[in-house]
Amino acid sequence: MTTTADDVWKLLAELAEAQKETERCFQETERRFQETERRFQETERILKEQSLKTDRQITRVSQEIGNLGGKWGRFVENMVAPACETLFLNRQIPVHQVSQRVKKRLDGKTLEIDVLVTNENHVLVVEVKSSLSVDDVKELIKNLTEFRQFFPEYNHKQLYGAVAGIEIEEGADKYAYRQGLFVLAQRGENVAILNDTEFQPKTWYDP
């Protein structure tokens, strides 16, 4: 079969048309790729904006919670401290002085007492929490073992401990009781000692 000039020109035209179609497909693919990239960048921008917004909201809420916690803690202490003036009289611990937020520094460490109750022969350390946990009780015990080092001026007095909370997590009151600590809690509009009359407080230091 003889190939004529017309056949050659027809073949070249088909090749040219095929090349144009290939270029068109390539351009369409490139356009779609660019569109996908644009959408990806837009999505990434939106996610970053949402992340920053969420971070700001979390920071604001954390600050508000922290402020509320501080105010609530002071409120609890302001309830507990006045109550201590009369509560311990029934437990043969007369009260001569009640001090709040007593702080001492020693060798780079700090010991802060929420409420400190004293009389001629006794000193009572009260840890106050809006929600009292077992860990809070353990922290007080640690503070009691270090108390003499920070406050040697009370070395001639018997040392007792107490924990107080508006809410008491399950088991915290029993644990404190077994450790020889007084347990104080809100009862109506007042603060009361939960320990029964058979309770004997532990003397953490007996001169």
Side-chain angles (χ1 to χ4, degrees), residues 163-166 168 183-187 190-194:
V163 290
I166 292 295
I168 298 179
V183 181
L184 282 63
Q186 187 176 13
R187 287 293 178 265
N190 301 313
V191 175
I193 295 178
L194 302 186

Side-chain angles (χ1 to χ4, degrees), residues 51 96 100 121 172 187 204:
S51 178
H96 295 168
Q100 296 186 50
N121 300 311
R187 287 293 178 265
W204 294 88

Side-chain angles (χ1 to χ4, degrees), residues 4-17:
T4 64
D6 290 339
D7 293 334
V8 172
W9 285 112
K10 183 178 179 181
L11 181 60
L12 291 174
E14 290 176 354
L15 289 173
E17 186 64 28

Side-chain angles (χ1 to χ4, degrees), residues 63-76:
Q63 290 174 344
E64 291 177 355
I65 291 175
N67 293 335
L68 179 62
K71 293 177 181 178
W72 185 249
R74 287 192 294 273
F75 171 72
V76 173

Side-chain angles (χ1 to χ4, degrees), residues 30-45:
E30 180 69 15
R31 185 189 67 78
R32 291 181 179 179
F33 175 80
Q34 292 176 351
E35 177 66 16
T36 300
E37 181 69 14
R38 186 191 65 78
R39 291 182 179 180
F40 176 80
Q41 292 176 352
E42 178 67 13
T43 301
E44 187 177 29
R45 183 188 64 80

Side-chain angles (χ1 to χ4, degrees), residues 7-119:
D7 293 334
V8 172
W9 285 112
K10 183 178 179 181
L11 181 60
L12 291 174
E14 290 176 354
L15 289 173
E17 186 64 28
Q19 184 176 7
K20 288 181 181 179
E21 180 64 18
T22 300
E23 290 179 353
R24 188 189 65 79
C25 290
F26 176 80
Q27 291 173 354
E28 178 65 16
T29 301
E30 180 69 15
R31 185 189 67 78
R32 291 181 179 179
F33 175 80
Q34 292 176 351
E35 177 66 16
T36 300
E37 181 69 14
R38 186 191 65 78
R39 291 182 179 180
F40 176 80
Q41 292 176 352
E42 178 67 13
T43 301
E44 187 177 29
R45 183 188 64 80
I46 293 173
L47 289 175
K48 286 182 178 179
E49 290 179 354
Q50 290 294 330
S51 178
L52 290 173
K53 183 178 179 181
T54 301
D55 288 345
R56 288 194 296 268
Q57 290 175 336
I58 291 174
T59 300
R60 178 176 56 81
V61 171
S62 297
Q63 290 174 344
E64 291 177 355
I65 291 175
N67 293 335
L68 179 62
K71 293 177 181 178
W72 185 249
R74 287 192 294 273
F75 171 72
V76 173
E77 289 178 24
N78 289 337
M79 285 186 64
V80 172
C84 286
E85 296 182 5
T86 56
L87 280 178
F88 291 101
L89 288 174
N90 297 329
R91 300 298 175 117
Q92 288 71 54
I93 303 177
V95 177
H96 295 168
Q97 182 176 340
V98 177
S99 305
Q100 296 186 50
R101 293 189 178 275
V102 181
K103 182 185 295 185
K104 274 288 188 72
R105 292 183 175 87
L106 179 66
D107 297 331
K109 297 192 296 184
T110 301
L111 180 62
E112 183 172 355
I113 308 300
D114 292 334
V115 179
L116 190 65
V117 180
T118 60
N119 61 31

